[in-house]
Amino acid sequence: MANSLSLNDFNAGLMQFLQASPTPFHATRNLANRLLAAGFIPLYEGDSWQLEVGKRYLVTRNDSSIIAFVYGKSPLVDKGIRMLGAHTDSPCLKVKPRAELNRRGYFQLGVEVYGGALLAPWYDRDLSMAGRVSYRNQEGEVASVLLDFSRAVAIIPSLAIHLDREANSGRSINAQKDIVPLVLQLAAEDLPLPDFRSLLHAELQQQFPDLAVEQVLDYEISFYDTQGPTFVGLEQDFIASARLDNLLSCFIGLESILQAGDEVSSLLICTDHEEVGSASCCGAKGPMLQQFLERLLPEVDTRVRVIERSMMISADNAHGIHPNFMDKHDENHGPLLNRGPVIKVNANQRYATTSETSALFRLFCEKAGVPVQAFVARTDMGCGSTIGPVVASEVGVKTIDVGCPTFAMHSIRELAGTKDGWWLYQAGVEFYNYAKAPIALVTLPG
């Protein structure tokens, strides 16, 4: 199928998606809306399913994970399923259940660090809040709604260098007391604290006046940087944004599966909680993908045969070689921004890449005219991991770990090249439309 997105169109859509997706809940809703607009049929896990060849489906779980499926005309047992996976979550600061603090008349909200966040960049940023709010309606039922304050409502001021002369050489950050966002100054120090749930209730009434919110019961609210994504550089070579890890890969997967033909079956899965280990009902270590495949293929023997003929691309950002810290990379494996997607390899299975899946991905890139790079961490340093090893071990599907090279991974503001996402998208389109059967290599004896 022809690739329909130009580089400029791809990046414009990416920036809109990043701006509109401050939390995994919002990212999943935006993914679902795009798929629905393209004719994908919504499925509900509590219903009975009767999937039909030639149709396209989507299903969500916990409002923060999603599967999109194109049921191709070729028998699954002949050609398998082309799968691409990413994750919807990013490191952030999450508001605690009893968050209200009064410190010398300054109203602050206690936070918990989600994932392996770089904390220093959170200082002196204009912060907003977004997430999911669960409430009781006027009928006594529990319902949920996505909320985004969409304006600067908090800040974490730095301590002046005059009060810490060693700030530039050795300041440490205590996650309990040093990164508490400031949201309001009280008229007097001894005034009662505002109730955060009441503040959420008032914001809901303002944004959704027709919503019958009787009482806010609970919430999953995160802080995020209000500064939007932008092009950076004299020649606009880079994209700076929050949540590039890993909404960039989610967007690549979305645009790729929208270009998938109807010859072979294709699947996109974007799951929550990767940054904290994926161990949840909607994480990659949970049963979401396995249960989908079981409902699609109830008979065990057939399902195993289909999985053997399938392949998963685990898409998650890679560490580009930083020009100020080049010694942090293996001298032969320092990916450059704007030089193509990166194949990630690790001998200790932190990445799921094998020689076979790497060879196949190189083939897809070659067919699409896409340059490709490789990343291996320094032998004396550890590396991160992805959903790749999780899916490979839980489902048994052959898997490769790839991603776009980036700087400042897990910062509140990350940096990527303007070309790499578009190139990985082109490779994804080639992968989803690869019609040879099965996706496997013949291993000769001897």
Side-chain angles (χ1 to χ4, degrees):
M1 178 173 289
N3 182 352
S4 67
L5 277 185
S6 69
L7 173 62
N8 289 339
D9 288 341
F10 176 88
N11 283 329
L14 170 64
M15 288 190 164
Q16 292 174 1
F17 177 64
L18 292 167
Q19 180 69 16
S21 304
T23 73
F25 304 114
H26 291 83
T28 300
R29 182 181 65 183
N30 292 328
L31 291 168
N33 286 342
R34 282 292 310 281
L35 292 164
L36 290 170
F40 281 69
I41 301 167
L43 299 172
Y44 301 96
E45 292 188 303
D47 295 344
S48 178
W49 294 357
Q50 298 295 328
L51 305 188
E52 300 179 25
V53 171
K55 293 189 176 180
R56 300 172 177 233
Y57 300 94
L58 71 92
V59 62
T60 65
R61 180 175 289 190
N62 188 50
D63 301 323
S64 62
S65 297
I66 189 168
I67 290 175
F69 180 62
V70 177
Y71 204 154
K73 296 177 181 177
S74 297
L76 292 171
V77 76
D78 289 342
K79 295 193 175 181
I81 304 171
R82 282 52 170 154
M83 307 182 195
L84 192 152
H87 64 88
T88 59
D89 60 321
S90 302
C92 63
L93 304 181
K94 289 195 168 186
V95 181
K96 291 180 175 179
R98 295 181 62 186
E100 300 86 352
L101 297 170
N102 182 350
R103 293 176 171 177
R104 298 300 297 270
Y106 294 107
F107 179 51
Q108 296 177 278
L109 292 175
V111 293
E112 189 175 11
V113 178
Y114 176 85
L118 271 173
L119 295 179
W122 280 82
Y123 284 102
D124 308 318
R125 309 294 299 189
D126 300 336
L127 303 177
S128 189
M129 294 185 289
R132 183 173 65 180
V133 179
S134 298
Y135 63 93
R136 184 177 68 245
N137 62 23
Q138 293 178 346
E139 287 72 40
E141 303 164 327
V142 175
S144 296
V145 64
L146 302 193
L147 180 65
D148 183 359
F149 280 71
S150 301
R151 64 189 187 277
V153 297
I155 194 167
I156 307 172
S158 292
L159 180 66
I161 195 168
H162 312 79
L163 304 178
D164 183 3
R165 291 294 183 180
E166 305 302 316
N168 290 328
S169 59
R171 177 183 289 179
S172 62
I173 300 173
N174 184 293
Q176 171 67 18
K177 67 182 186 68
D178 295 342
I179 56 166
V180 185
L182 172 65
V183 296
L184 181 68
Q185 185 167 18
L186 303 175
E189 290 187 34
D190 57 352
L191 283 178
L193 280 174
D195 176 67
F196 185 58
R197 285 172 173 79
S198 296
L199 295 177
L200 292 176
H201 192 179
E203 187 69 21
L204 287 175
Q205 288 184 316
Q206 181 175 337
Q207 292 193 24
F208 309 103
D210 297 330
L211 199 65
V213 180
E214 188 72 17
Q215 180 186 11
V216 171
L217 298 174
D218 223 324
Y219 53 83
E220 294 174 70
I221 297 292
S222 304
F223 285 97
Y224 72 92
D225 186 5
T226 59
Q227 184 178 5
T230 188
F231 292 109
V232 174
L234 291 175
E235 300 292 336
Q236 308 284 275
D237 292 322
F238 312 109
I239 294 175
S241 177
R243 301 176 299 281
L244 285 171
D245 177 19
N246 189 31
L247 295 188
L248 173 56
S249 298
C250 292
F251 184 75
I252 289 167
L254 168 68
E255 295 298 340
S256 298
I257 202 167
L258 289 176
Q259 294 296 318
D262 58 3
E263 176 63 25
V264 294
S265 294
S266 304
L267 184 146
L268 169 68
I269 179 167
C270 299
T271 51
D272 197 359
H273 300 138
E274 189 274 346
E275 298 293 358
V276 292
S278 293
S280 69
C281 70
C282 56
K285 196 173 287 186
M288 186 177 183
L289 177 57
Q290 183 66 31
Q291 289 175 346
F292 182 90
L293 295 174
E294 288 172 353
R295 298 181 76 166
L296 177 67
L297 299 158
E299 205 276 315
V300 175
D301 182 76
T302 301
R303 186 167 64 253
V304 172
R305 293 167 64 196
V306 171
I307 291 172
E308 171 59 24
R309 288 161 171 79
S310 303
M311 178 175 167
M312 163 72 77
I313 292 178
S314 166
D316 202 346
N317 295 2
H319 295 291
I321 184 168
H322 196 303
N324 298 342
F325 303 94
M326 292 186 291
D327 61 337
K328 297 296 185 180
H329 285 260
D330 181 271
E331 58 187 329
N332 289 337
H333 300 90
L336 297 172
L337 274 60
N338 289 313
R339 295 295 186 271
V342 179
I343 297 173
K344 300 191 283 186
V345 179
N346 182 259
N348 296 301
Q349 290 299 294
R350 298 291 289 170
Y351 303 130
T353 303
T354 69
S355 59
E356 286 192 341
T357 57
S358 176
L360 285 163
F361 183 76
R362 289 180 184 274
L363 174 64
F364 304 139
C365 289
E366 180 182 319
K367 290 169 68 67
V370 169
V372 66
Q373 307 180 80
F375 170 78
V376 178
R378 283 178 54 123
T379 305
D380 57 354
M381 294 178 63
C383 69
S385 191
T386 70
I387 68 168
V390 175
V391 174
S393 59
E394 295 287 334
V395 178
V397 62
K398 61 177 69 69
T399 302
I400 183 171
D401 273 295
V402 304
C404 297
T406 56
F407 294 152
M409 193 181 296
H410 288 197
S411 173
I412 196 172
R413 195 159 182 84
E414 300 163 325
L415 194 74
T418 55
K419 297 178 182 177
D420 298 312
W422 183 61
W423 274 328
L424 185 51
Y425 154 67
Q426 291 177 301
V429 173
E430 192 66 45
F431 167 65
Y432 275 140
N433 291 283
Y434 183 71
K436 292 190 176 180
I439 286 192
L441 296 179
V442 177
T443 303
L444 299 176

